[in-house]
Amino acid sequence: MGEPGASPTLILLVDDQALVGESVRRMLAREVDLCLHYCPDSRDALRMARELRPALILQDLVMPDIDGLALVKQYRSDPATRETPVVVLSVREDPQTKRDAFAAGANDYLVKLPDAMELIARVRYHSKSFLAHRQRDVAFRALRESQQQLMASNTSLNVLNQKLADATRAKSEFLANMSHEIRTPMNGVLGMAALLADTALDDEQRDCVDTVRTSAEALLGIINDILDFSKIEAGKMDLETGPFDLESCIEDVLEILAPKVAEKGIDLGCIEGSDVPRFIQGDVTRLRQIILNLVGNAVKFTAKGEVCLDVSVEQDSGSNFAAGGSLNLHFAVRDTGIGIPADRLQHLCKPFSQVDRSTTREYGGTGLGLAICHRLAELMGGRLWVESELGLGSTFHFTICAQRCVQDPEPRYSAPALNGRRLLLVEDNATARSWIENRASEWGLICISVAAGGEALSRLLGGERFDALLLDQQLPDIEIRKLLEAFRRLPGLTGVPIVLLSAVRTRGVENDFETLGVRSVAFKPLRRRQLLTALCRALGLEAPERRLASGSEINRGLASVRSLRILVADDSPVNQKVTASMLKRMGFTPKIVGNGAEALAAVRAEEFDLVFLDVQMPVMDGYEASRQICLSLPKARRPWLVALTANALQGDRELCLDAGMDDYVTKPVRPRELEEAICRCVTRLKDSDSKAA
Ligand code: ADP
């Protein structure tokens, strides 16, 4: 029986005897799923079979007009009936006839008239297997079709992919060009503004120049963000790796933000776990970028309270660090600012996303910073996440996988002379207090800390003795002058040096408070070295050696090398002026030329120690000039070649170095960067001098 509702199976009977037709009809009459069609005329048989497409043909052998065997052959050669099962019905029983029927293409042979049960069984067997075959063929065809469709869409996907790759390349090229085009005039704007700021200006003029500078810096920040972001998107952000001082990296960031922090009257501090290594391997610039962005945001969105950077080692991550392995560092930037609504938290790291439009109006920004930090943290083997409560503050966390530094780390600043001395610390901010306590214990000081001026006074009145006092300038309970005056009246404090901790970096703060017993001032956010120097100075001890040269030191160092012969090749008159003026201010007298060919000619005619080469110049570009200079002069007589270029994309540095240059400085160039490049050149010159000697 067929399934209810399924269409009946069609059977075609071809027989010229109406009696046979009627008998078969009766035999099948009760099989409701079988539908019999009868064809008495052999001339109509093929046409009917084609139209009906039966699941089985019952074929008489002996017929007028067309013989049954000939018809079977016709079914077999017609595409419409080629596969249709044919069961021959014949009165003849001899094997010869049966063999002929099978040879012509019949599937079965029944002697007329067969038993009804047998007929039905055979009809069902053949028609079912035919229908199953047909179904399988349909499925197979559909499969082949979808395979072909898949192949076709694969091909178009490949074409699309290619187009996308082309578009990405075009976008990168466009960005590189735009970056170059924007950087070049920005060099003029920033350079000139910096030079102008160093001249005598009245307040209004200074204000204008400062606005020009901060606006230009902001614009440059946006350009850098967009460039970084597109580099990350294109998978072209390669991290550098080298040893660096983690503590200095953090202190640098805090120092950059110090003026803003002081202006807002909030506290900014850092707590480092005692197991956090000071030196690690990695990309210091990118790490600084993440910290600066997160701490910068925290400061931006905090009106009162504090911002604190907490650095720790993730548990169980650094077991083999000492043996040359790696560990996971966890940075957490906590603030007491405006906070972020819960429903916005997961969107924050998407590019161009800000909490709401009013954020942009009130605080500015592109909404790219976090997206970049997020990706940078991932590139450094870590992750970034946020916790926040609206109105209470936010904590931005990120981790990085830090490699052990291969070179021997320098010892931390030590100060044996401080050992065992008693220090009274008066500081209301818990973060700053704990940071100072940690440093003090490293230096062997015995540090007693209190959170308020009143508490300090009562300890001193109680007769406690100290070798030095470390005093926050802004205490909640008492005005600093009043406190200092109270101290002066204490006989036990006579001669005890006082170090003031000040958040405001104004010149001459020391002098303001000198008469009140203040011996030295350390500015917040505190740096380890600076605090140590301030303490040593107050106690009349020798301060430890400075580790890294500061800007003023570079200047002092440069005084001995003012005779350095410098050549600048740049085609833009504005940029020539900027570079030349900066160098002149440092005390140099550079020679200026307008393209690579002129630079080459100058270097061949005269001796130079240092050549700054713009990269894109008419006649001969910087790369070619560098190659030619390298070819025409032996290494010992060759000047130190520095690319000075607005090409700031990945790979540009490598191109310059490949062309034979020794160093690379990007535009807009800052005096400090120029100084550092000169310092690297001087170090090299000294090295080769000492080797020659
Ligand atoms: P932007 O340049 O706009 O600051 P970011 O990607 O750094 O871009 O930050 C995106 C947005 O996240 C900010 O506009 C702000 O709405 C929110 N945000 C980031 N940091 C903080 C924070 N510490 N407190 C409150 N909101 C923050």
Side-chain angles (χ1 to χ4, degrees), residues 225 293-294 297-302 335 337-340 348 350 353-356 359-360 364-371 388 393-394 396:
D225 271 1
N293 206 307
L294 298 186
N297 274 351
V299 170
K300 181 157 120 179
F301 295 108
T302 301
D335 68 50
I338 59 173
I340 300 158
L348 277 188
K350 298 207 174 108
S353 101
Q354 293 179 318
V355 166
D356 57 41
T359 307
T360 325
T366 53
L368 274 178
L370 287 177
S388 185
S394 315
F396 281 78

Side-chain angles (χ1 to χ4, degrees), residues 184 187-192 194-195 566-593 610-614 642-645 665-671 673-675 677-678:
T184 305
N187 192 44
V189 175
L190 274 167
M192 287 299 169
L195 292 173
I566 302 179
L567 176 69
V568 175
D570 200 317
D571 60 316
S572 145
V574 175
N575 289 339
Q576 284 180 357
K577 216 162 164 181
V578 168
T579 315
S581 314
M582 282 181 188
L583 290 171
K584 276 184 191 145
R585 266 169 207 276
M586 292 173 206
F588 300 105
T589 324
K591 183 183 171 96
I592 312 288
V593 292
L610 172 58
V611 180
F612 287 108
L613 279 172
D614 181 24
V642 181
L644 198 60
T645 166
V665 175
T666 54
K667 286 177 188 170
V669 64
R670 292 176 175 79
E673 286 161 10
L674 218 52
E675 277 180 358
I678 295 172

